Amino acid sequence: MDTLSDLSVLVTGGSRGLGLLLARQCVERRCDVTVAARDEEELDRAVGLLRRRARGTTVTGRVCDVTDRAAVHELVENTAADQQGLDVVIANAGNIQVGPAEESGTDAFRSAMDTMFFGSLHTAMESLPHLRESPAGGRLGLIGSVGGLLPVPHLVPYSCAKSAVAALAEGLHAEQAEHGVSVTAAHPGLMRTGSHHQVELSGDEGKEFAWFATLAGLPGLSMDALRAAERIVRALEQRRTRVVLTPAAQLGAKAYGVAPTLVTRTNELVARVMPGPEPSGREGRSRWQSAVSALNERAARRLNQTSA
């Protein structure tokens, strides 16, 4: 099987969560890795964590806002110069908006599209010329979500942006094949990355945080983030077109593909039991919710989601 060993890698959104683990998988394959993120302090912590695992390879952190194409151009050009080219690029930068679409407002949709879709687009467009020159055959990974394969109530801005990423990935895969570049779309379901500490909330913020944090950490429904990162990197190695992670995500995506009306009607019922728009005064999770998501809290501390 083809591997990523000893290649040159760039990971955007690589300072925490899934992005940090994707970078770690590449470091452990003896790749020279650059991780990019907006927060310099967070980035410095991530580089320190990755360098502990590096054996004779380089780990570099670069501050970059992927919504700014000029900044992405500079990131890609400097990374390619320092690492003597680019073989693998993973566009992972993202944000999560949780709450009713009307309460989130158009700014949440714009933020989601700017970071996740246009961030992926900028990264892809700037990287492709270098990936086509890779002696190993370039690989581009775009991190989508099951939320991009079927709409999810109270995650509508996120779903809209991730569905655009899915279309971008599969369109580029078709166009770039003749140039020897593979494009892999990765669509994880719920993962224990500690991302609930980073969500943007609207509506009844206490209840919205509670349901998202609980489901994202629920064993059996959510996936261990390290396993997810391993499977995504293997998909890049195998040059797969698409990988959907977690059985629940696979089932949901297949159901929506076969019976979209039925899934939409089911989502109507789900939306009715979700928190309303008015604040209830609740803050955080109940004791049982905190207990079932304990694994996610541990992941948050390991994966640089909190400064503690």
Side-chain angles (χ1 to χ4, degrees), residues 260-271:
T261 300
L262 177 61
V263 173
T264 300
R265 288 177 177 170
T266 302
N267 274 342
E268 290 177 17
L269 301 177
V270 172

Side-chain angles (χ1 to χ4, degrees), residues 6-68:
D6 305 308
L7 299 183
S8 167
V9 178
L10 168 64
V11 182
T12 67
S15 64
R16 55 182 165 86
L18 178 63
L20 179 59
L21 286 175
L22 291 169
R24 174 176 141 184
Q25 287 290 307
C26 296
V27 166
E28 291 176 349
R29 285 165 167 79
R30 303 185 308 277
C31 298
D32 290 323
V33 177
T34 292
V35 289
R38 285 183 289 194
D39 188 306
E40 185 171 10
E41 183 179 346
E42 186 179 86
L43 191 59
D44 288 343
R45 290 197 304 269
V47 169
L49 292 170
L50 292 169
R51 283 179 177 165
R52 293 177 198 172
R53 296 179 174 272
R55 296 292 182 270
T57 58
T58 63
V59 178
T60 305
R62 295 187 186 277
V63 175
C64 180
D65 181 350
V66 297
T67 67
D68 180 349

Side-chain angles (χ1 to χ4, degrees), residues 196-197 199 201 204-214 284-285:
H196 59 289
H197 285 286
V199 297
L201 300 163
D204 188 342
E205 295 186 2
K207 285 188 174 182
E208 296 289 353
F209 175 83
W211 80 256
F212 182 82
T214 301
R285 289 161 287 179

